[in-house]
Each structure stands twice: as C-alpha cells, then as structure tokens.
Amino acid sequence: MEDLITDSVRARLALARADARELDLYSGAGTDFYQRLVGADRAEIREVMALARRTGGPILDIAAGSGRLTIPLVRSGYRVTAVDLSHDMLSHLRRALPDHPALHCVVADMRDLRLAQGYALAVLGATSITLLDGEGRSRLYRSVRRHLTSDGVFALTVAAGTSAATLSVPQEHEITVPGPEGDETYLFAQQVDADGASRVVNWLRPADLRRGGEVTVLTSRLRVLDREQLAAELVASGFAPPRISAVRTQDGQHIELLETTAIAPLRAAESDV
C-alpha cells in the first residue's frame, strides 16, 4: 500500500508518539467521513440537471460515490447508471434510493467500463478526474466514447481560478465537519509532490492525537490538472473541443464544467485497447 501520510501529519504523530491508521477516503469507514464532508455540497447539481433536460437519458454517472448527482437526477425522472469502484460508496446511494427502478448501481473501474447500453449523457462530477493519472485518463476517455450515443454528451468538472491555485501549494488548517453528535474539528493537510503534478491530502481529528495512541488518518492522492490540459487531452482522445462554463457554488469555490461530444464512434481497435 502506498504511504500517503504527509510530512506535516507525520511530524504531529511523532510529537504525540502516536501511530497512524491509514484509511482510504473512498473505502470502509472513510466513506462515512466523505459523506459528512461533501453530502451537503450542492455544487454542479444545477448545471448537471440543465444538461439532463437538454440531452434526456439514460444517464451515466461516473465515480458516482454516494449519489450527490445521481439522487436528484433519479428523483427528477431520469434513468441513471451509477458507477463507482467502491462498493462502500455505492452502499450510501442504495440506502438513499432503495430498490428504485430507475437506478442501476455498478461496481466497476471507470477506466474500463463494459456496459450493455449507450448513454445520452455521461457525467464525471466533483472534479473526480483528478483521481486518475495520465494513462488512467486516456483509458477513461476511451471508456466514455465506448458508451456515448451518437450525439451523446460528456461533461466533467475541474477546479479553476483561485481554487485551482490552492491545490498547488502545501496547506494545513482545521475544518469543521458535521458529525453524528454535532460538528467535529478535523485537521486538513495537503502536500504537493516535487514535480507539482499531484498532491496528497490527509484528514484527522486533532483530538485523537494522544500519546501512544492510534490515530485514523484519511488519505487520498489527487492530480493537479487545469482546463487547458484536460481540453487538449479530450481533443487528442477523439472529442470535440469542449465548451467551458463556470459552475455556480455557494462557498466561493471556482469550478468549471467542460462539455463535449465524441467526433466519431469508437473503432473496434480502439475499443479493445
């Protein structure tokens, strides 16, 4: 398992003589924290709903997680296939929409989808494109083309402006996260790799830093990307130059939506790559 503890968190652990229990943000108990962290975030929903009204369905929600985008789409009458690599993440979605006939959950790698139908709209929200390295993004683009209808739309989001700038510098600050018994304080730490291409992020509760204890550290690695790089990759992968628009947010974050279509069907040789 890759060591994803930042230097600043490691120093805090050493000072407290505590041991880290590293936990991936997107599996097991990490998904409960993720749901508390982002569950109330309404960013992108307005824009995705507008796309759905224009394209119709069916809709493919890639890296759907706990259903932040899927749930409002399904409740608005769209048929949605929600794909995520984490069974634990999708379990939150299934509990929110138990046995809903318009929802199909699939545990699968978004880089290699092999589904039985085409989609009028494929969405990759929450800037989840940053979970993938360059090879992974190339595979994702082929996977999306494989599943779009002839006039299907692919939409994804990425941080922009001042929000993007904060992703390229080390950070450490406390945040407030809703908990089962009220708000809880977590330490957020971010470490940027030497080449600036990716960042490691950690969350832990400062209250757990007790001498000789074990501290749960939630971790993830994310790539540092911008719209220009993604637009170039999309074009190189057989998509039209994307239309770029701002996403309305409640907390001042700068997020952009890239919307594109495939310029040609995926050839059999490409599909098998």
Side-chain angles (χ1 to χ4, degrees):
M1 180 178 180
E2 183 183 11
D3 183 0
L4 295 180
I5 305 295
T6 66
D7 292 342
S8 64
V9 167
R10 196 179 305 281
R12 285 176 176 259
L13 291 166
L15 187 62
R17 296 183 181 177
D19 295 320
R21 175 176 174 263
E22 187 177 332
L23 184 62
D24 185 89
L25 181 64
Y26 305 107
S27 65
T31 64
D32 297 325
F33 172 78
Y34 181 83
Q35 176 67 7
R36 292 190 283 130
L37 182 68
V38 306
D41 184 7
R42 305 292 294 173
E44 306 173 347
I45 294 177
R46 179 194 302 267
E47 289 77 14
V48 169
M49 292 299 297
L51 281 171
R53 286 192 294 271
R54 197 179 82 224
T55 62
I59 297 170
L60 178 62
D61 187 3
I62 305 169
S66 56
R68 192 175 60 87
L69 298 178
T70 297
I71 291 171
L73 285 167
V74 170
R75 287 176 174 168
S76 296
Y78 297 99
R79 299 190 67 83
V80 181
T81 298
V83 173
D84 202 282
L85 187 58
S86 169
H87 180 278
D88 296 319
M89 291 296 294
L90 287 177
S91 67
H92 288 275
L93 173 53
R94 292 189 181 99
R95 287 195 294 270
L97 296 172
D99 301 317
H100 199 293
L103 172 65
H104 180 44
C105 291
V106 178
V107 178
D109 191 328
M110 61 180 161
R111 296 167 294 185
D112 189 29
L113 294 178
R114 303 282 174 171
L115 305 175
Q117 69 178 107
Y119 296 89
L121 174 62
V123 179
L124 178 60
T127 68
S128 296
I129 189 71
T130 60
L131 290 166
L132 303 178
D133 61 14
E135 179 186 355
R137 294 194 299 277
S138 293
R139 290 169 58 193
L140 167 72
Y141 302 144
R142 287 196 299 270
S143 188
V144 170
R145 283 180 62 199
R146 188 183 300 130
H147 291 89
L148 285 180
T149 58
S150 58
D151 57 351
V153 171
F154 177 36
L156 67 156
T157 54
V158 67
T162 56
S163 294
T166 65
L167 306 181
S168 300
V169 295
Q171 293 187 52
E172 186 176 278
H173 58 264
E174 291 187 348
I175 61 173
T176 300
V177 180
E181 298 180 3
D183 288 347
E184 296 181 333
T185 298
Y186 276 78
L187 177 72
F188 170 76
Q190 172 176 286
Q191 179 173 304
V192 181
D193 290 347
D195 61 3
S198 64
R199 60 194 179 101
V200 172
V201 289
N202 291 174
W203 295 262
L204 74 153
R205 292 192 302 185
D208 293 339
L209 284 167
R210 301 186 183 94
R211 183 174 295 272
E214 184 178 67
V215 180
T216 297
V217 182
L218 295 146
T219 67
S220 187
R221 178 182 290 281
L222 303 165
R223 276 68 192 180
V224 179
L225 303 170
D226 58 37
R227 67 180 185 183
E228 288 79 13
Q229 180 177 350
L230 292 177
E233 290 177 355
L234 287 165
V235 170
S237 297
F239 289 91
R243 175 179 177 268
I244 301 173
S245 57
V247 172
R248 187 179 302 182
T249 64
Q250 295 175 321
D251 55 5
Q253 291 189 66
H254 295 155
I255 299 174
E256 290 180 330
L257 178 76
L258 283 68
E259 173 193 342
T260 186
T261 56
I263 58 175
L266 193 67
R267 298 190 303 273
E270 292 178 288
S271 183
D272 292 337
V273 173

